[in-house]
Amino acid sequence: MFETVAIVGPGLIGGSMGMALRTRGLARHVVGIGRRRKSLSNALEVGAIDAATLDVAEGVQEAELVVLATPIGTFAALMAEIAPAMKPGAVLTDVASTKTEVVETISACLQDRPDIIYVPAHPMAGSERRGPLAANEDLFEGAVCIITPLADTYPEDKSRVTDMWEALGCRVVSMTPQGHDRAVARISHVPHLSAAALINSLEEADMRVCGSGLIDTTRVASGPPSVWLDICLTNRKEIAEALENYITELQELVEALESNNVDRLREALRTAKERRDGLRARGEPRRERT
Amino acid sequence: MFETVAIVGPGLIGGSMGMALRTRGLARHVVGIGRRRKSLSNALEVGAIDAATLDVAEGVQEAELVVLATPIGTFAALMAEIAPAMKPGAVLTDVASTKTEVVETISACLQDRPDIIYVPAHPMAGSERRGPLAANEDLFEGAVCIITPLADTYPEDKSRVTDMWEALGCRVVSMTPQGHDRAVARISHVPHLSAAALINSLEEADMRVCGSGLIDTTRVASGPPSVWLDICLTNRKEIAEALENYITELQELVEALESNNVDRLREALRTAKERRDGLRARGEPRRERT
């Protein structure tokens, strides 16, 4: 599928991509680009990449596909090095969890490189762990990958990125960057903040008697704060709005409890179960949860 | 440990207790009492019980330990049959998720049986599944079990129930019924309602693009609505109060997002991660999650 792929940031997501591209024979050569020697040597060791370099320009120059898999906050600075170094007509993708601001930032950095094909993507997979040692070649198996192609992208170029994600096991869905950010605020960002708020509202003594419900419900709150801060800051408006809706839903439960409104409580619990069971029926990700 | 144990309602919790009591040699004979033949035959088949009966009085009459493991809403009616039939000096325990109202109800039913030793318990284990086919002999391994002994219970009687839960793998913590209900509102009931509200606030289209974060965060919402309705109705005041605190926490996040308060967002995410990692360090339940 690709001769050479460059992965900028071969951590959990980038490293899992590298592993899957290699073991599935989708890339002949995977170059990992990072800032820390230790992290790159871990990525080499687990088989996420074939070669490693600290030099961004050198790392991307031979690649037909460059994957930007670092935290969002690093994109502008990295793109200043990546954009001039990329091969003519090469494909660029990113795996960021927010899209509107990210697409603007990256597109601006590509102004002098109209030949580069940029197809933004967001694989909805991950875990609260990070780094190449958490990488897993089946991470994307059964997951959804949202792509947010630019208006002027040719269908065949879109297909190159779509085909790759499908080959990694994803179901690919296409949205606008704005539609993505609105949906993902509800699907991913509010769940994260709800878990963070849940754990922050516990008292110290509670921590000693928690059960499996709390453990599962708050798992995502162990995710890296710096990554989640970037997500919050680049999708503030949509997250705030979705959080407000969530709070309204919770306030209705408080009212139902206070007024002893049995029917309303029963209905909320019943609807939630029905919808959650529906989620499962559509297939929970098959990979092992870490 | 016990010659005969009667389990009223050998479903997920009761059935898992029966299995564990049998396989660990803690009971020589486990009688299952239920309302439906099918459910009892399933409990027999999976090895949760040795014998089954639809007759409550008959089922409990030989037992030194009677475990009430049915939904809270059935307790008063069942106790009218159980109380007169129990063996002199036998031990009664329940596994309900709320305690203040439950202890009042059961104690009232035991007014004519001062010889019966009632030690209320709440094993903090479970899953969103139910019924004897979901039972698992290691369900309690590594879990916390809260007991809420009455003021006049002799220490040696308390020990009989404590020792049993410890033998099933639990860490036993003692609280007042009121202290239990307040803590568990935060630890278990609010997480459940937060998951229900989360899933209820999604739009239909969102359900097709969910990731593993949402799957984990909302798992508990698949729990049986009737069980959770009972829990809500018997712990209304504490749950409403804990939900209000949770909403306040969420509103602070909305404010931080709207005012672009980076420090406050970073601090909330950092604290949540630190506390959630602390939960893990104390040991997540070792059993397999279903």
Side-chain angles (χ1 to χ4, degrees):
Chain A
M1 193 173 245
F2 295 104
E3 190 65 33
T4 300
V5 174
I7 296 178
V8 189
L12 168 69
I13 301 289
S16 298
M17 283 184 74
M19 258 181 211
L21 287 168
R22 293 179 72 229
T23 57
R24 294 174 190 222
L26 303 169
R28 197 185 299 268
H29 191 66
V30 177
V31 183
I33 300 156
R35 277 188 316 179
R36 292 181 308 133
R37 278 175 208 282
K38 179 68 187 157
S39 180
L40 288 174
S41 80
N42 286 339
L44 279 166
E45 202 174 309
V46 297
I49 53 177
D50 296 292
T53 176
L54 299 164
D55 186 319
V56 179
E58 186 191 295
V60 302
Q61 69 193 1
E62 296 299 328
E64 293 108 73
L65 173 69
V66 174
V67 180
L68 201 47
T70 53
I72 295 170
T74 65
F75 282 6
L78 278 169
M79 281 304 298
E81 295 185 72
I82 293 170
M86 275 178 77
K87 216 164 132 155
V91 178
L92 173 72
T93 189
D94 72 284
V95 295
S97 299
T98 63
K99 284 284 163 268
T100 310
E101 279 195 36
V102 163
V103 170
E104 275 169 27
T105 302
I106 292 181
S107 298
C109 297
L110 289 172
Q111 263 185 322
D112 298 334
R113 291 297 308 266
D115 60 305
I116 300 296
I117 299 149
Y118 171 44
V119 184
H122 175 203
M124 306 273 289
S127 93
E128 73 283 12
R129 297 174 64 207
R130 65 187 309 192
L133 298 180
N136 161 7
E137 66 174 271
D138 293 323
L139 185 68
F140 307 107
E141 200 59 64
V144 168
C145 180
I146 303 176
I147 60 165
T148 63
L150 312 187
D152 59 357
T153 306
Y154 290 117
E156 58 267 36
D157 291 330
K158 228 182 299 187
S159 295
R160 294 189 68 189
V161 171
T162 302
D163 292 350
M164 178 197 66
W165 284 110
E166 286 179 351
L168 297 184
C170 288
R171 188 158 55 78
V172 177
V173 174
S174 186
M175 296 188 184
T176 63
Q178 293 72 22
H180 167 277
D181 284 1
R182 204 169 304 130
V184 171
R186 290 187 300 259
I187 298 162
S188 167
H189 307 163
V190 167
H192 188 95
L193 293 178
S194 85
L198 208 49
I199 202 131
N200 287 348
S201 67
L202 292 179
E203 297 184 6
E204 184 55 32
D206 297 340
M207 312 287 276
R208 286 192 295 275
V209 288
C210 75
S212 60
L214 187 73
I215 290 282
D216 280 359
T217 312
T218 60
R219 179 188 66 86
V220 291
S222 270
S226 59
V227 168
W228 281 95
L229 184 62
D230 276 353
I231 290 173
C232 288
L233 297 178
T234 54
N235 201 23
R236 291 198 298 125
K237 200 182 131 284
E238 297 296 351
I239 300 175
E241 204 176 305
L243 258 183
E244 296 268 29
N245 287 339
Y246 177 52
I247 289 172
T248 304
E249 200 81 40
L250 290 168
Q251 272 161 341
E252 279 170 21
L253 291 174
V254 172
E255 271 170 44
L257 285 164
E258 283 174 346
S259 61
N260 205 9
N261 191 331
V262 180
D263 290 340
R264 223 155 101 191
L265 286 170
R266 185 187 290 115
E267 182 56 20
L269 292 165
R270 202 194 50 73
T271 307
K273 179 185 168 51
E274 198 176 286
R275 301 186 75 171
R276 180 56 175 75
D277 287 351
L279 268 192
R280 277 200 303 183
R282 288 198 183 94
E284 301 201 14
R286 276 162 288 169
R287 70 188 169 285
E288 204 174 309
R289 227 61 58 63
T290 50
Chain B
M1 192 174 246
F2 295 103
E3 190 64 33
T4 300
V5 174
I7 297 179
V8 190
L12 168 69
I13 302 289
S16 297
M17 281 183 75
M19 259 182 210
L21 288 168
R22 293 179 72 229
T23 56
R24 294 175 191 222
L26 303 168
R28 197 185 300 267
H29 191 66
V30 177
V31 183
I33 300 155
R35 276 188 315 178
R36 291 182 306 134
R37 279 175 208 282
K38 180 64 189 159
S39 181
L40 288 174
S41 81
N42 285 340
L44 278 166
E45 203 175 306
V46 298
I49 53 177
D50 297 293
T53 176
L54 299 164
D55 186 319
V56 180
E58 185 191 296
V60 303
Q61 68 193 2
E62 298 299 326
E64 294 110 70
L65 173 69
V66 175
V67 179
L68 200 48
T70 53
I72 295 170
T74 65
F75 283 6
L78 278 169
M79 281 305 298
E81 296 185 70
I82 292 170
M86 275 178 76
K87 214 164 134 158
V91 179
L92 174 72
T93 189
D94 71 284
V95 295
S97 299
T98 64
K99 285 282 164 268
T100 310
E101 280 194 37
V102 163
V103 170
E104 276 168 26
T105 301
I106 293 182
S107 297
C109 297
L110 289 172
Q111 262 187 325
D112 298 334
R113 291 298 306 268
D115 61 305
I116 300 295
I117 299 148
Y118 171 44
V119 184
H122 174 203
M124 307 273 289
S127 93
E128 72 285 11
R129 297 174 62 206
R130 65 187 309 192
L133 298 180
N136 160 8
E137 66 174 272
D138 293 321
L139 186 67
F140 307 109
E141 200 59 65
V144 167
C145 181
I146 303 176
I147 60 166
T148 63
L150 311 186
D152 59 357
T153 306
Y154 290 117
E156 57 268 36
D157 291 330
K158 227 180 306 188
S159 294
R160 293 188 68 189
V161 171
T162 302
D163 292 351
M164 179 198 64
W165 284 109
E166 286 180 350
L168 297 185
C170 288
R171 188 159 56 79
V172 178
V173 174
S174 187
M175 294 187 185
T176 63
Q178 293 72 22
H180 167 277
D181 284 0
R182 203 169 305 130
V184 171
R186 289 188 299 259
I187 297 160
S188 168
H189 307 164
V190 166
H192 188 94
L193 293 178
S194 84
L198 208 49
I199 201 129
N200 288 347
S201 66
L202 291 180
E203 297 185 6
E204 184 55 33
D206 297 341
M207 312 286 278
R208 286 192 295 273
V209 287
C210 75
S212 60
L214 187 73
I215 291 281
D216 280 1
T217 312
T218 60
R219 181 189 65 86
V220 293
S222 268
S226 59
V227 169
W228 281 96
L229 185 62
D230 276 354
I231 289 173
C232 288
L233 296 179
T234 54
N235 201 23
R236 292 198 298 124
K237 199 180 133 284
E238 297 296 351
I239 300 175
E241 203 177 306
L243 259 184
E244 296 268 28
N245 288 340
Y246 177 52
I247 289 172
T248 303
E249 201 81 40
L250 290 168
Q251 271 161 341
E252 280 170 22
L253 291 174
V254 172
E255 272 170 43
L257 285 163
E258 283 174 346
S259 62
N260 204 8
N261 190 332
V262 181
D263 289 341
R264 225 155 100 192
L265 286 170
R266 185 188 290 116
E267 183 57 20
L269 292 164
R270 202 194 52 74
T271 307
K273 178 182 168 54
E274 197 176 287
R275 299 185 78 171
R276 180 56 175 73
D277 287 350
L279 269 191
R280 279 200 302 184
R282 287 198 183 94
E284 300 199 14
R286 275 160 288 167
R287 72 191 166 283
E288 203 174 310
R289 226 62 56 65
T290 50

